[in-house]
Amino acid sequence: MGWFVRRLAQSLVMLWVVVSLVFLSIHFVPGDPAELLLAQDGGSPDPLMVQMLREQLGLDRPLPEQYSHNVMGILRGDLGASMVDGSSVGQEVMRRLPRTLELIAAAGILSLLIGIPAGVLSALRPRGRFSRGAAVVAGTAQSVPVFVLGTLLVVLFAQVLGWLPAGGFVPFSRDPGKHLQLLVLPAATIAIGLSAIVFRITKASMLDVLPLDFIRTARAKGVPARRVIIRHALRNALMPVITVFALQLGGLLAGTVLVETVFNWPGLSGMLVAGVNARDYPVVTGVLVVVSAFYIGLNLLVDIIYGITDPRVRK
């Protein structure tokens, strides 16, 4: 229990550091949000109007006061209001977050379904044709940028074959079939590179486990080969896969910008880009805090799983 409390405390400290760094980074970037907002219609804004807007937005307050107000709001679960249109940042984040999580979840499931079986088969015959071919495909998948891969998938499946729509978004509640069709290409774009990583980690981990004594003992006792591979070898080889996979998912939450842009998927990434362009402090801070909390939470979950499966970690 003490180990868990320490890890939880460390996670909260990391989140506080992230919030502080985000706040300072945004406020130290050159430019005045009030001037940008008033200059959207062109021309030079009136200095008096700029000062009035700064007071209205609280930008005229000392930096420590703005910081404390920001942190206290986050602790209350209030991410503030957009400087551009006054909408609630928290509500907009909660509206867009499920879309990004759905995209990542679909890509994650697809990558596991591809990467783990391919890694196991390659480890069983590491010098075979399948293993060599899978290694080439995995290396290629990791080398191609996601925006290039996404564009190629759109050209092939949307324009040439006409099997899937090129992009867009329709809520699942309105049209489930159309929603799933629109989800396929962006999820596949992410899953291709992620499955290559899962494949490599699974193969390497299986190659480490297969020569161990308990595997040889199970085979000597006449345990069926399928059971030895799945129940004994794969079960013990999955921990590194889970670790890397969880960290990759956390990174994807902030790294889907290009995919959501290519396929016009209205998730968190588009909101973040719009906030950065408009110097909308609450929007940028709110999105980054949610992404960081998700990433730190995944790290904490992985540590908890390690602690449960391996008592040595809790020492």
Side-chain angles (χ1 to χ4, degrees):
M1 186 64 181
W3 168 83
F4 172 75
V5 172
R6 289 195 303 271
R7 282 297 295 119
L8 181 60
Q10 292 173 2
S11 299
L12 293 176
V13 170
M14 284 190 290
L15 184 59
W16 170 74
V17 171
V18 169
V19 171
S20 302
L21 291 176
V22 169
F23 176 85
L24 294 175
S25 300
I26 294 176
H27 282 75
F28 285 155
V29 172
D32 190 335
E35 291 184 1
L36 292 175
L37 290 173
L38 292 175
Q40 288 180 353
D41 296 331
S44 179
D46 184 0
L48 181 59
M49 295 295 294
V50 172
Q51 182 60 30
M52 291 176 60
L53 184 57
R54 285 179 57 83
E55 294 176 0
Q56 179 183 346
L57 298 176
L59 299 176
D60 61 327
R61 302 174 186 172
L63 200 60
E65 185 178 343
Q66 295 185 49
Y67 173 77
S68 61
H69 178 76
N70 187 29
V71 172
M72 293 305 296
I74 292 174
L75 291 176
R76 295 193 304 267
D78 180 13
L79 299 178
S82 170
M83 292 181 177
V84 176
D85 55 13
S87 61
S88 172
V89 174
Q91 291 180 2
E92 185 65 15
V93 167
M94 290 300 104
R95 187 173 70 90
R96 288 173 173 261
L97 180 60
R99 301 170 184 172
T100 299
L101 292 180
E102 179 188 19
L103 180 59
I104 294 174
I109 293 172
L110 186 58
S111 67
L112 291 177
L113 293 176
I114 297 173
I116 290 179
V120 172
L121 293 175
S122 296
L124 293 177
R125 296 181 179 178
R127 299 183 183 276
R129 292 182 179 179
F130 178 82
S131 180
R132 293 197 297 267
V136 172
V137 173
T140 304
Q142 286 187 272
S143 302
V144 180
V146 289
F147 68 91
V148 174
L149 184 59
T151 304
L152 292 176
L153 292 180
V154 168
V155 172
L156 176 61
F157 291 101
Q159 297 182 358
V160 176
L161 299 176
W163 292 352
L164 296 167
F169 178 82
V170 174
F172 184 84
S173 57
R174 183 187 304 171
D175 189 341
K178 185 68 172 179
H179 177 86
L180 294 177
Q181 285 184 336
L182 292 168
L183 179 63
V184 171
L185 287 183
T189 301
I190 298 174
I192 289 175
L194 185 58
S195 62
I197 298 174
V198 174
F199 160 76
R200 290 178 180 275
I201 300 299
T202 303
K203 179 181 178 180
S205 186
M206 285 290 293
L207 288 175
D208 289 339
V209 171
L210 286 174
L212 296 180
D213 292 339
F214 73 93
I215 299 295
R216 290 199 295 266
T217 301
R219 287 173 172 169
K221 289 182 177 180
V223 178
R226 183 185 297 270
R227 187 176 179 182
V228 171
I229 294 169
I230 297 177
R231 190 166 182 178
H232 296 278
L234 182 59
R235 184 177 179 180
N236 287 273
L238 278 181
M239 190 56 67
V241 179
I242 293 174
T243 303
V244 175
F245 181 74
L247 296 178
Q248 289 293 324
L249 286 184
L252 285 177
L253 187 60
T256 58
V257 177
L258 295 175
V259 175
E260 291 185 356
T261 301
V262 169
F263 293 98
N264 196 25
W265 188 268
L268 277 183
S269 299
M271 183 180 178
L272 178 61
V273 171
V276 171
N277 291 334
R279 291 293 303 280
D280 197 338
Y281 294 159
V283 168
V284 176
T285 303
V287 173
L288 291 180
V289 166
V290 171
V291 170
S292 301
F294 183 82
Y295 190 83
I296 293 172
L298 279 177
N299 278 273
L300 179 61
L301 179 61
V302 170
D303 287 344
I304 292 174
I305 294 175
Y306 264 135
I308 293 173
T309 57
D310 189 352
R312 294 173 298 176
V313 176
R314 300 197 297 266
K315 295 181 180 179

